[in-house]
Amino acid sequence: MPTVSHFLLNESWSGASTRTGDIFNPATGAATGQVTLASKADVDEVVDVAAAALPAWAATPPARRAMVMFEFRDLLRKHTNELSELLSAEHGKTIPDANGEIARGIEVVEFACGIPQLLKGEYSEAVAVNVDSHTVRQPVGVVAGITPFNFPAMVPLWMYPVAIACGNTFVLKPSERDPTVVLRIAELLAEAGLPAGVLNVVNGDKESVDALLDNPKVEAVSFVGSTPIGHYVYSRGTNSGKRVQALCGAKNHLVVMPDADMDQVTDALIGSAYGSAGERCMAVSVAVPVGERTADRLVAALEPRVRALKVAPYTDPTSELGPVISKQSYNRIHNLIEQGLEQGASLVVDGRDISLQGYEDGYFVGGCLFDNVSTDMSIYKEEIFGPVLSVVRANGYEEAVQMINDHEYGNGAAIFTRDGDAARDFWARARIGMIGVNVPIPVPVAYHSFGGWKRSLFGDHSIHGMEGVRFYTRLKTMTTRWPSGIRTGAEFNFSGGKDV
């Protein structure tokens, strides 16, 4: 079986560790390759390389850094189909989902192309007599990124293009479950002209994560993943004196008002709840219809659509729902569905009994639809990370808003309505980081920033956009005063005499 190694100094690098992990095809359950798992010594060596490359890259004019990003963007566009195939083969998501993931990553690269403008400081003349003040933003230093399996291409691209454009060097620790596309994208960035040592990729598990969090040369850490691990990364990283942003779990609600366009709502929920097999932190996993009549109409509209979802591997161009990432995830989803039934929810559509000829050992879960879910149930409280949608009926609008605000997560929420007053009240009062109005997945475009509230984000900065620039730079303010009086040319000895 092929082995995926690390990426150091713009080329493949095996490191000293002999530990490996299996890479599985989630559609078949078969191991298709192995990935090298770095030791602490391997991680420290990679960080040393990034630290050595830092001074020259930080001193590179932003316009030259932008030129690399422009070339990188063009290469990503050129190789999108290749990258999507690599991604889907290891993750299992459909090719359209993979294409969309690559496209959202490219948007952030395009944002990073504007770094000369984004790094402009401020200037104030005469803050006192003959005293001026100005600010600049300078790179933090060596930055690490720890990224999840569900978006192996997009999430790293939300991090390192901005960090590198700001003048930092970067060490990426991707998920060991689907690392191949990460390595191929790193090769494209090297092809775009990035100097060796500026971006490095080290594959590994907890040992690698801890090594990055403890290494004193790593100044900042970006993380995307589950809340328990995110809290661990944030606590250990900040205790080591690092700047940390940790984007974590979610339980995203979609409120359906009585005046909503039910066809639009149904289309939105099919895409947002079941797209990418529900394995995304912005998936809508809770629908909150307001009023019994609204709830009855919603469930009646959803049921046939969920049953009709085509479950198949990514190699089937008609597939709408691929497998989940692993047997562990498969078992966890099944366990939570069973808990929902035991706790009294109504399973309107049961997608557990999926068996595809030739793919009997794959990790396929069909679309599941629960009705009559209450807020004390496990399927409501926990992030399922699978194709499971829960309908929680609200008696009124106020109950719906309170339900959202009471939940421990605060990543995203949406409201579908024709009422402008209701929409404005919702986005003003919901204690949520990203709000959609008649938009089910309110992921901001690249020049805005992505981040939740409450236990969906640890740290003070969201990712990409200007929040990303602020996270990957430090502000420096200069106050200057010069001696009064203008010296003449003779005093500077411009005529060739003795220096003053």
Side-chain angles (χ1 to χ4, degrees):
M1 289 189 294
T3 298
V4 176
S5 298
H6 316 297
F7 189 79
L8 184 68
L9 291 169
N10 282 0
E11 61 185 17
S12 179
W13 179 69
S14 59
S17 172
T18 59
R19 294 190 307 126
T20 60
D22 288 331
I23 301 171
F24 292 91
N25 179 343
T28 64
T32 58
Q34 291 188 317
V35 58
T36 301
L37 303 177
S39 64
K40 180 182 183 300
D42 290 334
V43 172
D44 290 345
E45 184 172 347
V46 172
V47 172
D48 286 345
V49 168
L54 177 65
W57 182 245
T60 301
R64 292 187 184 177
R65 297 184 216 140
M67 290 174 64
V68 174
M69 290 297 134
F70 275 114
E71 291 291 331
F72 184 40
R73 178 202 62 181
D74 292 345
L75 286 170
L76 288 172
R77 287 176 172 171
K78 179 180 177 181
H79 291 270
T80 291
N81 291 337
E82 173 198 352
L83 296 173
S84 294
E85 285 283 342
L86 291 174
L87 194 163
S88 292
E90 290 183 350
H91 178 275
K93 66 177 60 178
T94 66
I95 291 294
D97 277 341
N99 285 335
E101 173 176 345
I102 301 295
R104 291 310 296 261
I106 291 173
E107 288 182 8
V108 178
V109 178
E110 290 180 330
F111 172 77
C113 290
I115 200 64
Q117 170 70 20
L118 300 172
L119 289 179
K120 285 171 62 177
E122 299 175 320
Y123 186 90
S124 293
E125 185 180 14
V127 296
V129 176
N130 293 329
V131 177
D132 305 321
S133 229
H134 70 280
T135 63
V136 296
R137 303 203 72 93
Q138 296 183 328
V140 171
V142 178
V143 178
I146 303 165
T147 57
F149 73 83
N150 60 325
F151 286 97
M154 183 187 76
V155 172
L157 288 172
W158 281 9
M159 294 178 183
Y160 64 75
V162 179
I164 288 171
C166 288
N168 303 281
T169 55
F170 204 95
V171 178
L172 175 64
K173 207 300 287 182
S175 171
E176 65 274 22
R177 295 177 181 176
D178 43 13
T180 300
V181 70
V182 174
L183 274 296
R184 182 66 184 117
I185 292 174
E187 292 173 351
L188 294 178
L189 185 47
E191 185 180 337
L194 189 72
V198 176
L199 173 67
N200 310 279
V201 182
V202 57
N203 293 299
D205 49 15
K206 185 177 183 296
E207 181 176 345
S208 302
V209 170
D210 288 347
L212 288 170
L213 295 174
D214 295 342
N215 191 300
K217 293 182 180 178
V218 175
E219 299 281 354
V221 177
S222 295
F223 169 87
V224 174
S226 70
T227 291
I229 298 176
H231 185 262
Y232 171 83
V233 167
Y234 180 77
S235 299
R236 186 159 180 158
T238 53
N239 285 339
S240 297
K242 304 184 193 312
R243 177 181 292 189
V244 181
Q245 59 176 181
L247 289 84
C248 301
K251 198 71 177 179
N252 305 311
H253 298 65
L254 189 150
V255 175
V256 185
M257 296 297 288
D259 67 339
D261 182 324
M262 197 56 70
D263 290 336
Q264 184 186 43
V265 170
T266 306
D267 287 342
L269 284 170
I270 292 297
S272 60
Y274 302 103
S276 198
E279 293 179 314
R280 52 189 179 196
C281 67
M282 286 299 285
V284 171
S285 54
V286 182
V288 188
V290 175
E292 288 297 321
R293 183 171 181 274
T294 305
D296 291 342
R297 289 171 57 217
L298 175 64
V299 173
L302 280 172
E303 180 179 355
R305 294 286 302 275
V306 177
R307 291 190 187 278
L309 285 170
K310 175 67 177 291
V311 181
Y314 84 94
T315 50
D316 184 338
T318 66
S319 175
E320 296 175 293
L321 196 60
V324 296
I325 187 66
S326 67
K327 186 67 173 179
Q328 180 184 16
S329 293
Y330 175 92
N331 290 337
R332 181 177 181 275
I333 293 165
H334 275 244
N335 183 51
L336 281 165
I337 293 170
E338 191 61 38
Q339 288 182 42
L341 288 170
E342 292 172 357
Q343 293 167 6
S346 305
L347 188 54
V348 179
V349 181
D350 187 350
R352 289 175 294 174
D353 297 326
I354 295 291
S355 181
L356 304 178
Q357 185 174 1
Y359 298 92
E360 290 83 1
D361 295 327
Y363 313 133
F364 291 95
V365 181
C368 297
L369 175 63
F370 273 107
D371 192 10
N372 300 306
V373 176
S374 60
T375 58
D376 60 343
M377 294 180 181
S378 300
I379 56 172
Y380 174 77
K381 293 188 290 186
E382 296 188 34
E383 184 178 30
I384 299 175
F385 229 59
V388 181
L389 176 64
S390 297
V391 176
V392 183
R393 298 174 178 234
N395 292 320
Y397 169 75
E398 289 295 331
E399 181 182 339
V401 173
Q402 192 63 47
M403 183 189 309
I404 292 169
N405 287 345
D406 286 346
H407 204 284
E408 66 172 321
Y409 294 127
N411 218 39
I415 185 170
F416 274 62
T417 182
R418 290 183 172 90
D419 188 332
D421 288 341
R424 192 179 191 286
D425 182 83
F426 182 78
W427 67 252
R429 292 173 53 202
R431 298 183 62 242
I432 299 293
M434 293 168 284
I435 299 291
V437 175
N438 299 317
V439 174
I441 308 177
V443 176
V445 294
Y447 42 88
H448 286 273
S449 298
F450 179 107
W453 289 13
K454 297 184 280 189
R455 287 180 59 80
S456 292
L457 175 68
F458 297 101
D460 298 324
H461 292 281
S462 297
I463 202 168
H464 68 63
M466 281 309 300
E467 281 287 280
V469 173
R470 295 184 187 104
F471 180 77
Y472 294 126
T473 58
R474 287 193 175 97
L475 183 68
K476 181 178 286 185
T477 304
M478 278 64 67
T479 304
T480 60
R481 180 173 61 191
W482 297 99
S484 59
I486 300 175
R487 305 176 73 183
T488 66
E491 290 175 288
F492 281 107
N493 244 345
F494 288 154
S495 59
K498 184 178 179 181
D499 289 341
V500 176

